[in-house]
Amino acid sequence: MAKNSKKATRKFEKNHLKDTLEKRKAGAKIKQRNQVKAKRQARNAKDAEFEGKGGEEESKAKTPVKEDPFGKMNVDDFFQGGFEIPEKLAKKSKSKSKAVPEKLGKRKRSELEVEDDDSSEVSFEEAPVLSDSEDGSEPEDDIGMSKGAMDALASKDPEFYKYLKENDPEALDFDDNADLAEVDDLSGSEDEQPKKKKKKSKKAPVEEVHDEEVSEEEAEDASELTKEMVAKWSKAMKDQHSLRAMRRVVLAFRAAAHVNEDDGKEYKYTISNSQVYHELLVTALKYVPEVLNHHIPAKETAAGKVRVSTDSKKFKTLTALLKSYTSSVHHLLTALSDAPTLKLTLASVTPLLPYLLSFKKLLKNIVKTVVNIWSDSSSDEATRITAFLVVRRLAVIGDPGLREAVLKTVYQGLITGSRSTTVHTIQGINLMKNSAAELWGIDAGVGYATGFTFIRQLAIHLRNSITNNQQESYKTVYNWQYVHSLDFWSCVLSEHCSPVKEAENGKESELRPLIYPTVQVTLGAMRLIPTSTYFPLRFQLMRSLLRLSRATGTYIPLASALLEVLNSNEMKKPAKPSTLKGLDFASNYKAQKAYLRTRVYQDGVGEQVAELLSEFFVLWSTSIAFPELALPVIVMLKRWLKDAGHKASGNKNIKVNSVFILLFQKIEANAKFIEQHRAKVEFAPNNRAGVDNFLKDFEWEKTPLGAFVSGQRKQREEKAKLLEEGRREEDRKRKADREKEKAGAGSDEDMEDVDDDSEAGFETEEDDE
């Protein structure tokens, strides 16, 4: 506290602050205890009202004047007879259950109450009851009713926990399974007529009513799940949108999600047939969302907002069912490996998202699992796209806080999935970057905040690697994750900051201020270690900046970084011959030592520099300033060609030199082309509108440099197509060879088993003799 605070304040802090805080804590505990008691009393009142209907009717039918069974007993006779309450008084007390407060602790039922429950509308035998105290599933926002909250209370305040254990043990009884019995109340219309008949026949023995119920629902209550049961439930859900059938499907689906798992839990149904398992999965994943949407429709506005009536009684009753089903789907997603089933399960999550918006913890686990599937290199393309659609749907309907959490989780998944980059995984990583870039345009404000944070992190890593003089400090920047991160932000800004996209939205993109820091960090990372070993990384980052410059119309000076590569010893001095295979610059950021100073590497670097230099200049091939832009590069290329073509000290590589001679000629021809058109204009350089409209409608492919670049692109596409076909053919041959080896190994094992069996048979025969 500051010294200039009032004297009374300091005196209060010294003498009374501690006591005041303790009183507030005690008041909070009392408030929490009262809330717990109020909930328990409300629940017990409902149970008493539900169970006391029969007793009230019987008490009304009886005559008001009855002989008191204790009237003629003295005190000694009463204590000698024990404490057993006569039957008539027991029935009488049942009719007054509302006025009599229940004792603390678990409420024990008598045999008559259990039988009455069996004959009532709600079938408690079918529901997985939480505990003996019949605690229902409470909403997440309820204070003091979750197991996690009670565990935290036991560690933080053991005295209050001990008090609850002694005086209110019911509040501490929990189970992982949810009470789904209340769903039958909403399905009462399905069996309304049979129920009324049972109510009229109350004079009949209770055992007969119980036997009738068992005979009616014997198939559904069977522990072994059959094909007929699944078909019956599927028909009821499809035709009648039955909540009762949905509840049974959810219970069976929970058992199916944990099949073949020794987790110590017992489930209502057991599944031993694979066909029944498949049909149950299809039924649950297809019809449960449909039934849920029928009873609690999700209304979507024109702006993309989704509204669900979460305050309705039906939603509160179905909350336990929804949580159980979603938890089973989440567990199934973590265990599945079959692509079609995984895709079907992911597709079933999308219609559930509007109902899960109020359950943040459950939704967080779902998003994390879906993103893991999306970023897993073993997932096929269709599965990844389905997972991305789930994440995108959540980002569209969620609030800004949820969108921020989704974007952070997606970015983390992208970084994790791009750790290992090979020829086989590069396509999947590109798919992730292109799909994730779309999410940052849903809410530009949230996108800017998260983008600024992550780009700042990249800048901090780069600064630390520059300032720290340790030998391995550069490795925090020179790795695939850092390279793909910069490339990803290039994709994001290229997609949402393009002039076409901004014209559609009618305003400048909020992400445009991120272009400058992204370019600066990329240029800094590019030149961190300017050795020939990391030329592939430089080319990777160069392509990211070219994409950004092409999409946003931003000028980025890239020619100097490419000329640095040309002036290196790797390109100016003669290379040694080598039989190595050409280096794939698309799937490598570092050249192995074996490639350095070799003709193969020199040819590859020369091709990359010529391609990138031509791609850079073709962006401004119709600009009125092209001659001034190209002049320094033309001078440098002339000087380099002169040094490289020297007989004594040149690189003696005619192939590379001829490529740059051709590029030099095209750049010079394009400069002359612009000068010819520029000589005809009548506006001054300060006329910005005239400068922008110069050759605006002229196609860049018709310029001298544009025609050259267009032809080079087609050649590279054909070459890449042939290489891809060859790679796929090699993969097929490898798979075929592996299958042959496995088949051969399997046949050898079978032969060994046959030999062992035959030897065992001879031994048994000899023993018999």
Side-chain angles (χ1 to χ4, degrees), residues 319-349:
T319 296
L321 192 75
L322 178 62
K323 286 184 178 180
S324 176
Y325 175 73
T326 308
S327 300
S328 302
V329 171
H330 174 256
H331 185 80
L332 198 64
L333 287 174
T334 59
L336 284 175
S337 58
D338 182 52
T341 311
L342 188 59
K343 184 181 176 183
L344 178 65
T345 309
L346 285 169
S348 69
V349 176

PDB file of all heavy atoms in Angstrom, residues 319-349:
ATOM      1  N   THR A 319     -29.873 -32.286 -20.861  1.00  0.00           N
ATOM      2  CA  THR A 319     -28.468 -31.921 -20.695  1.00  0.00           C
ATOM      3  C   THR A 319     -27.610 -33.136 -20.381  1.00  0.00           C
ATOM      4  O   THR A 319     -26.529 -33.321 -20.954  1.00  0.00           O
ATOM      5  CB  THR A 319     -28.332 -30.869 -19.577  1.00  0.00           C
ATOM      6  OG1 THR A 319     -29.010 -29.683 -19.978  1.00  0.00           O
ATOM      7  CG2 THR A 319     -26.876 -30.539 -19.322  1.00  0.00           C
ATOM      8  N   ALA A 320     -28.088 -33.987 -19.454  1.00  0.00           N
ATOM      9  CA  ALA A 320     -27.316 -35.182 -19.102  1.00  0.00           C
ATOM     10  C   ALA A 320     -27.152 -36.103 -20.305  1.00  0.00           C
ATOM     11  O   ALA A 320     -26.079 -36.667 -20.535  1.00  0.00           O
ATOM     12  CB  ALA A 320     -28.002 -35.925 -17.962  1.00  0.00           C
ATOM     13  N   LEU A 321     -28.240 -36.238 -21.077  1.00  0.00           N
ATOM     14  CA  LEU A 321     -28.180 -37.076 -22.280  1.00  0.00           C
ATOM     15  C   LEU A 321     -27.182 -36.513 -23.279  1.00  0.00           C
ATOM     16  O   LEU A 321     -26.380 -37.248 -23.868  1.00  0.00           O
ATOM     17  CB  LEU A 321     -29.571 -37.137 -22.900  1.00  0.00           C
ATOM     18  CG  LEU A 321     -29.798 -38.183 -23.997  1.00  0.00           C
ATOM     19  CD1 LEU A 321     -29.906 -39.548 -23.371  1.00  0.00           C
ATOM     20  CD2 LEU A 321     -31.066 -37.861 -24.756  1.00  0.00           C
ATOM     21  N   LEU A 322     -27.199 -35.207 -23.475  1.00  0.00           N
ATOM     22  CA  LEU A 322     -26.302 -34.548 -24.422  1.00  0.00           C
ATOM     23  C   LEU A 322     -24.846 -34.704 -23.997  1.00  0.00           C
ATOM     24  O   LEU A 322     -23.973 -35.003 -24.819  1.00  0.00           O
ATOM     25  CB  LEU A 322     -26.677 -33.076 -24.533  1.00  0.00           C
ATOM     26  CG  LEU A 322     -25.829 -32.195 -25.449  1.00  0.00           C
ATOM     27  CD1 LEU A 322     -25.926 -32.682 -26.880  1.00  0.00           C
ATOM     28  CD2 LEU A 322     -26.271 -30.743 -25.349  1.00  0.00           C
ATOM     29  N   LYS A 323     -24.577 -34.516 -22.711  1.00  0.00           N
ATOM     30  CA  LYS A 323     -23.210 -34.648 -22.220  1.00  0.00           C
ATOM     31  C   LYS A 323     -22.698 -36.076 -22.366  1.00  0.00           C
ATOM     32  O   LYS A 323     -21.545 -36.299 -22.761  1.00  0.00           O
ATOM     33  CB  LYS A 323     -23.140 -34.226 -20.753  1.00  0.00           C
ATOM     34  CG  LYS A 323     -23.226 -32.740 -20.516  1.00  0.00           C
ATOM     35  CD  LYS A 323     -23.038 -32.436 -19.046  1.00  0.00           C
ATOM     36  CE  LYS A 323     -23.063 -30.945 -18.775  1.00  0.00           C
ATOM     37  NZ  LYS A 323     -22.878 -30.659 -17.340  1.00  0.00           N
ATOM     38  N   SER A 324     -23.554 -37.043 -22.048  1.00  0.00           N
ATOM     39  CA  SER A 324     -23.141 -38.440 -22.166  1.00  0.00           C
ATOM     40  C   SER A 324     -22.821 -38.799 -23.610  1.00  0.00           C
ATOM     41  O   SER A 324     -21.801 -39.434 -23.899  1.00  0.00           O
ATOM     42  CB  SER A 324     -24.253 -39.345 -21.625  1.00  0.00           C
ATOM     43  OG  SER A 324     -23.926 -40.700 -21.811  1.00  0.00           O
ATOM     44  N   TYR A 325     -23.699 -38.380 -24.527  1.00  0.00           N
ATOM     45  CA  TYR A 325     -23.483 -38.682 -25.946  1.00  0.00           C
ATOM     46  C   TYR A 325     -22.220 -37.999 -26.471  1.00  0.00           C
ATOM     47  O   TYR A 325     -21.414 -38.615 -27.179  1.00  0.00           O
ATOM     48  CB  TYR A 325     -24.709 -38.239 -26.746  1.00  0.00           C
ATOM     49  CG  TYR A 325     -24.570 -38.394 -28.236  1.00  0.00           C
ATOM     50  CD1 TYR A 325     -24.605 -39.653 -28.834  1.00  0.00           C
ATOM     51  CD2 TYR A 325     -24.394 -37.287 -29.060  1.00  0.00           C
ATOM     52  CE1 TYR A 325     -24.474 -39.801 -30.200  1.00  0.00           C
ATOM     53  CE2 TYR A 325     -24.265 -37.425 -30.425  1.00  0.00           C
ATOM     54  CZ  TYR A 325     -24.306 -38.684 -30.994  1.00  0.00           C
ATOM     55  OH  TYR A 325     -24.163 -38.828 -32.343  1.00  0.00           O
ATOM     56  N   THR A 326     -22.029 -36.735 -26.105  1.00  0.00           N
ATOM     57  CA  THR A 326     -20.856 -36.001 -26.581  1.00  0.00           C
ATOM     58  C   THR A 326     -19.571 -36.600 -26.021  1.00  0.00           C
ATOM     59  O   THR A 326     -18.567 -36.702 -26.728  1.00  0.00           O
ATOM     60  CB  THR A 326     -20.958 -34.522 -26.183  1.00  0.00           C
ATOM     61  OG1 THR A 326     -22.227 -34.004 -26.609  1.00  0.00           O
ATOM     62  CG2 THR A 326     -19.856 -33.716 -26.823  1.00  0.00           C
ATOM     63  N   SER A 327     -19.591 -36.999 -24.764  1.00  0.00           N
ATOM     64  CA  SER A 327     -18.410 -37.645 -24.171  1.00  0.00           C
ATOM     65  C   SER A 327     -18.082 -38.956 -24.874  1.00  0.00           C
ATOM     66  O   SER A 327     -16.907 -39.269 -25.094  1.00  0.00           O
ATOM     67  CB  SER A 327     -18.634 -37.882 -22.684  1.00  0.00           C
ATOM     68  OG  SER A 327     -18.872 -36.675 -22.001  1.00  0.00           O
ATOM     69  N   SER A 328     -19.117 -39.702 -25.246  1.00  0.00           N
ATOM     70  CA  SER A 328     -18.887 -40.954 -25.971  1.00  0.00           C
ATOM     71  C   SER A 328     -18.310 -40.686 -27.357  1.00  0.00           C
ATOM     72  O   SER A 328     -17.395 -41.390 -27.810  1.00  0.00           O
ATOM     73  CB  SER A 328     -20.199 -41.738 -26.085  1.00  0.00           C
ATOM     74  OG  SER A 328     -20.738 -42.020 -24.819  1.00  0.00           O
ATOM     75  N   VAL A 329     -18.834 -39.661 -28.032  1.00  0.00           N
ATOM     76  CA  VAL A 329     -18.301 -39.303 -29.356  1.00  0.00           C
ATOM     77  C   VAL A 329     -16.839 -38.863 -29.230  1.00  0.00           C
ATOM     78  O   VAL A 329     -15.983 -39.253 -30.044  1.00  0.00           O
ATOM     79  CB  VAL A 329     -19.151 -38.193 -29.993  1.00  0.00           C
ATOM     80  CG1 VAL A 329     -18.480 -37.656 -31.249  1.00  0.00           C
ATOM     81  CG2 VAL A 329     -20.531 -38.706 -30.338  1.00  0.00           C
ATOM     82  N   HIS A 330     -16.546 -38.084 -28.205  1.00  0.00           N
ATOM     83  CA  HIS A 330     -15.166 -37.622 -27.990  1.00  0.00           C
ATOM     84  C   HIS A 330     -14.231 -38.806 -27.735  1.00  0.00           C
ATOM     85  O   HIS A 330     -13.126 -38.865 -28.278  1.00  0.00           O
ATOM     86  CB  HIS A 330     -15.139 -36.655 -26.815  1.00  0.00           C
ATOM     87  CG  HIS A 330     -13.763 -36.232 -26.417  1.00  0.00           C
ATOM     88  ND1 HIS A 330     -13.122 -36.730 -25.307  1.00  0.00           N
ATOM     89  CD2 HIS A 330     -12.879 -35.382 -26.998  1.00  0.00           C
ATOM     90  CE1 HIS A 330     -11.920 -36.197 -25.218  1.00  0.00           C
ATOM     91  NE2 HIS A 330     -11.751 -35.378 -26.223  1.00  0.00           N
ATOM     92  N   HIS A 331     -14.679 -39.753 -26.915  1.00  0.00           N
ATOM     93  CA  HIS A 331     -13.842 -40.931 -26.644  1.00  0.00           C
ATOM     94  C   HIS A 331     -13.659 -41.766 -27.903  1.00  0.00           C
ATOM     95  O   HIS A 331     -12.577 -42.318 -28.139  1.00  0.00           O
ATOM     96  CB  HIS A 331     -14.494 -41.768 -25.541  1.00  0.00           C
ATOM     97  CG  HIS A 331     -13.664 -42.937 -25.112  1.00  0.00           C
ATOM     98  ND1 HIS A 331     -12.603 -42.816 -24.248  1.00  0.00           N
ATOM     99  CD2 HIS A 331     -13.720 -44.250 -25.449  1.00  0.00           C
ATOM    100  CE1 HIS A 331     -12.046 -44.003 -24.050  1.00  0.00           C
ATOM    101  NE2 HIS A 331     -12.710 -44.886 -24.775  1.00  0.00           N
ATOM    102  N   LEU A 332     -14.707 -41.839 -28.708  1.00  0.00           N
ATOM    103  CA  LEU A 332     -14.618 -42.612 -29.948  1.00  0.00           C
ATOM    104  C   LEU A 332     -13.635 -41.973 -30.927  1.00  0.00           C
ATOM    105  O   LEU A 332     -12.897 -42.676 -31.630  1.00  0.00           O
ATOM    106  CB  LEU A 332     -16.009 -42.710 -30.573  1.00  0.00           C
ATOM    107  CG  LEU A 332     -16.231 -43.803 -31.632  1.00  0.00           C
ATOM    108  CD1 LEU A 332     -16.057 -45.171 -31.008  1.00  0.00           C
ATOM    109  CD2 LEU A 332     -17.631 -43.689 -32.218  1.00  0.00           C
ATOM    110  N   LEU A 333     -13.601 -40.650 -30.969  1.00  0.00           N
ATOM    111  CA  LEU A 333     -12.672 -39.957 -31.870  1.00  0.00           C
ATOM    112  C   LEU A 333     -11.217 -40.244 -31.509  1.00  0.00           C
ATOM    113  O   LEU A 333     -10.353 -40.300 -32.384  1.00  0.00           O
ATOM    114  CB  LEU A 333     -12.925 -38.453 -31.821  1.00  0.00           C
ATOM    115  CG  LEU A 333     -14.194 -37.941 -32.508  1.00  0.00           C
ATOM    116  CD1 LEU A 333     -14.372 -36.458 -32.247  1.00  0.00           C
ATOM    117  CD2 LEU A 333     -14.144 -38.204 -34.007  1.00  0.00           C
ATOM    118  N   THR A 334     -10.943 -40.395 -30.224  1.00  0.00           N
ATOM    119  CA  THR A 334      -9.566 -40.661 -29.802  1.00  0.00           C
ATOM    120  C   THR A 334      -9.142 -42.097 -30.061  1.00  0.00           C
ATOM    121  O   THR A 334      -7.942 -42.383 -30.075  1.00  0.00           O
ATOM    122  CB  THR A 334      -9.409 -40.361 -28.297  1.00  0.00           C
ATOM    123  OG1 THR A 334     -10.319 -41.190 -27.550  1.00  0.00           O
ATOM    124  CG2 THR A 334      -9.709 -38.902 -28.015  1.00  0.00           C
ATOM    125  N   ALA A 335     -10.118 -42.993 -30.260  1.00  0.00           N
ATOM    126  CA  ALA A 335      -9.784 -44.412 -30.409  1.00  0.00           C
ATOM    127  C   ALA A 335      -9.898 -44.926 -31.834  1.00  0.00           C
ATOM    128  O   ALA A 335      -9.327 -45.970 -32.161  1.00  0.00           O
ATOM    129  CB  ALA A 335     -10.690 -45.256 -29.495  1.00  0.00           C
ATOM    130  N   LEU A 336     -10.607 -44.213 -32.705  1.00  0.00           N
ATOM    131  CA  LEU A 336     -10.843 -44.715 -34.062  1.00  0.00           C
ATOM    132  C   LEU A 336      -9.602 -44.562 -34.935  1.00  0.00           C
ATOM    133  O   LEU A 336      -8.839 -43.604 -34.802  1.00  0.00           O
ATOM    134  CB  LEU A 336     -12.000 -43.964 -34.713  1.00  0.00           C
ATOM    135  CG  LEU A 336     -13.414 -44.347 -34.260  1.00  0.00           C
ATOM    136  CD1 LEU A 336     -14.430 -43.425 -34.911  1.00  0.00           C
ATOM    137  CD2 LEU A 336     -13.728 -45.794 -34.613  1.00  0.00           C
ATOM    138  N   SER A 337      -9.442 -45.506 -35.842  1.00  0.00           N
ATOM    139  CA  SER A 337      -8.374 -45.428 -36.840  1.00  0.00           C
ATOM    140  C   SER A 337      -8.894 -45.654 -38.256  1.00  0.00           C
ATOM    141  O   SER A 337      -8.202 -45.344 -39.223  1.00  0.00           O
ATOM    142  CB  SER A 337      -7.281 -46.468 -36.535  1.00  0.00           C
ATOM    143  OG  SER A 337      -7.826 -47.779 -36.517  1.00  0.00           O
ATOM    144  N   ASP A 338     -10.110 -46.182 -38.377  1.00  0.00           N
ATOM    145  CA  ASP A 338     -10.707 -46.419 -39.689  1.00  0.00           C
ATOM    146  C   ASP A 338     -11.190 -45.091 -40.273  1.00  0.00           C
ATOM    147  O   ASP A 338     -11.967 -44.357 -39.638  1.00  0.00           O
ATOM    148  CB  ASP A 338     -11.880 -47.395 -39.547  1.00  0.00           C
ATOM    149  CG  ASP A 338     -12.518 -47.715 -40.888  1.00  0.00           C
ATOM    150  OD1 ASP A 338     -11.786 -48.090 -41.810  1.00  0.00           O
ATOM    151  OD2 ASP A 338     -13.743 -47.566 -41.015  1.00  0.00           O
ATOM    152  N   ALA A 339     -10.729 -44.756 -41.471  1.00  0.00           N
ATOM    153  CA  ALA A 339     -11.004 -43.444 -42.071  1.00  0.00           C
ATOM    154  C   ALA A 339     -12.492 -43.190 -42.306  1.00  0.00           C
ATOM    155  O   ALA A 339     -12.999 -42.123 -41.941  1.00  0.00           O
ATOM    156  CB  ALA A 339     -10.217 -43.286 -43.371  1.00  0.00           C
ATOM    157  N   PRO A 340     -13.271 -44.117 -42.916  1.00  0.00           N
ATOM    158  CA  PRO A 340     -14.704 -43.831 -43.126  1.00  0.00           C
ATOM    159  C   PRO A 340     -15.476 -43.629 -41.825  1.00  0.00           C
ATOM    160  O   PRO A 340     -16.310 -42.722 -41.725  1.00  0.00           O
ATOM    161  CB  PRO A 340     -15.200 -45.076 -43.886  1.00  0.00           C
ATOM    162  CG  PRO A 340     -13.982 -45.648 -44.523  1.00  0.00           C
ATOM    163  CD  PRO A 340     -12.873 -45.386 -43.571  1.00  0.00           C
ATOM    164  N   THR A 341     -15.200 -44.474 -40.819  1.00  0.00           N
ATOM    165  CA  THR A 341     -15.892 -44.323 -39.532  1.00  0.00           C
ATOM    166  C   THR A 341     -15.495 -43.031 -38.843  1.00  0.00           C
ATOM    167  O   THR A 341     -16.327 -42.344 -38.235  1.00  0.00           O
ATOM    168  CB  THR A 341     -15.573 -45.522 -38.624  1.00  0.00           C
ATOM    169  OG1 THR A 341     -15.774 -46.737 -39.337  1.00  0.00           O
ATOM    170  CG2 THR A 341     -16.448 -45.516 -37.390  1.00  0.00           C
ATOM    171  N   LEU A 342     -14.222 -42.678 -38.944  1.00  0.00           N
ATOM    172  CA  LEU A 342     -13.752 -41.432 -38.340  1.00  0.00           C
ATOM    173  C   LEU A 342     -14.409 -40.227 -39.010  1.00  0.00           C
ATOM    174  O   LEU A 342     -14.801 -39.259 -38.343  1.00  0.00           O
ATOM    175  CB  LEU A 342     -12.233 -41.349 -38.465  1.00  0.00           C
ATOM    176  CG  LEU A 342     -11.520 -40.218 -37.725  1.00  0.00           C
ATOM    177  CD1 LEU A 342     -11.787 -40.305 -36.235  1.00  0.00           C
ATOM    178  CD2 LEU A 342     -10.022 -40.268 -37.993  1.00  0.00           C
ATOM    179  N   LYS A 343     -14.558 -40.294 -40.311  1.00  0.00           N
ATOM    180  CA  LYS A 343     -15.206 -39.204 -41.042  1.00  0.00           C
ATOM    181  C   LYS A 343     -16.678 -39.083 -40.653  1.00  0.00           C
ATOM    182  O   LYS A 343     -17.197 -37.969 -40.459  1.00  0.00           O
ATOM    183  CB  LYS A 343     -15.074 -39.463 -42.550  1.00  0.00           C
ATOM    184  CG  LYS A 343     -15.622 -38.349 -43.416  1.00  0.00           C
ATOM    185  CD  LYS A 343     -15.464 -38.691 -44.893  1.00  0.00           C
ATOM    186  CE  LYS A 343     -16.102 -37.625 -45.768  1.00  0.00           C
ATOM    187  NZ  LYS A 343     -16.013 -37.978 -47.202  1.00  0.00           N
ATOM    188  N   LEU A 344     -17.368 -40.219 -40.503  1.00  0.00           N
ATOM    189  CA  LEU A 344     -18.780 -40.204 -40.092  1.00  0.00           C
ATOM    190  C   LEU A 344     -18.931 -39.633 -38.686  1.00  0.00           C
ATOM    191  O   LEU A 344     -19.850 -38.855 -38.406  1.00  0.00           O
ATOM    192  CB  LEU A 344     -19.346 -41.626 -40.169  1.00  0.00           C
ATOM    193  CG  LEU A 344     -20.799 -41.820 -39.722  1.00  0.00           C
ATOM    194  CD1 LEU A 344     -21.738 -41.072 -40.660  1.00  0.00           C
ATOM    195  CD2 LEU A 344     -21.154 -43.305 -39.681  1.00  0.00           C
ATOM    196  N   THR A 345     -18.018 -40.011 -37.792  1.00  0.00           N
ATOM    197  CA  THR A 345     -18.083 -39.509 -36.415  1.00  0.00           C
ATOM    198  C   THR A 345     -17.833 -38.009 -36.366  1.00  0.00           C
ATOM    199  O   THR A 345     -18.501 -37.274 -35.628  1.00  0.00           O
ATOM    200  CB  THR A 345     -17.044 -40.251 -35.544  1.00  0.00           C
ATOM    201  OG1 THR A 345     -17.205 -41.671 -35.717  1.00  0.00           O
ATOM    202  CG2 THR A 345     -17.229 -39.910 -34.080  1.00  0.00           C
ATOM    203  N   LEU A 346     -16.876 -37.529 -37.150  1.00  0.00           N
ATOM    204  CA  LEU A 346     -16.609 -36.093 -37.184  1.00  0.00           C
ATOM    205  C   LEU A 346     -17.807 -35.325 -37.742  1.00  0.00           C
ATOM    206  O   LEU A 346     -18.145 -34.239 -37.241  1.00  0.00           O
ATOM    207  CB  LEU A 346     -15.374 -35.824 -38.057  1.00  0.00           C
ATOM    208  CG  LEU A 346     -14.020 -36.170 -37.446  1.00  0.00           C
ATOM    209  CD1 LEU A 346     -12.939 -36.098 -38.509  1.00  0.00           C
ATOM    210  CD2 LEU A 346     -13.691 -35.231 -36.302  1.00  0.00           C
ATOM    211  N   ALA A 347     -18.444 -35.879 -38.768  1.00  0.00           N
ATOM    212  CA  ALA A 347     -19.607 -35.199 -39.355  1.00  0.00           C
ATOM    213  C   ALA A 347     -20.759 -35.104 -38.360  1.00  0.00           C
ATOM    214  O   ALA A 347     -21.550 -34.148 -38.420  1.00  0.00           O
ATOM    215  CB  ALA A 347     -20.056 -35.935 -40.619  1.00  0.00           C
ATOM    216  N   SER A 348     -20.856 -36.056 -37.422  1.00  0.00           N
ATOM    217  CA  SER A 348     -21.937 -36.020 -36.435  1.00  0.00           C
ATOM    218  C   SER A 348     -21.701 -34.969 -35.356  1.00  0.00           C
ATOM    219  O   SER A 348     -22.632 -34.625 -34.617  1.00  0.00           O
ATOM    220  CB  SER A 348     -22.083 -37.399 -35.776  1.00  0.00           C
ATOM    221  OG  SER A 348     -20.973 -37.690 -34.952  1.00  0.00           O
ATOM    222  N   VAL A 349     -20.478 -34.470 -35.234  1.00  0.00           N
ATOM    223  CA  VAL A 349     -20.178 -33.458 -34.211  1.00  0.00           C
ATOM    224  C   VAL A 349     -20.729 -32.091 -34.627  1.00  0.00           C
ATOM    225  O   VAL A 349     -21.164 -31.306 -33.776  1.00  0.00           O
ATOM    226  CB  VAL A 349     -18.657 -33.386 -33.969  1.00  0.00           C
ATOM    227  CG1 VAL A 349     -18.312 -32.271 -32.985  1.00  0.00           C
ATOM    228  CG2 VAL A 349     -18.140 -34.714 -33.440  1.00  0.00           C
TER     229      VAL A 349
END
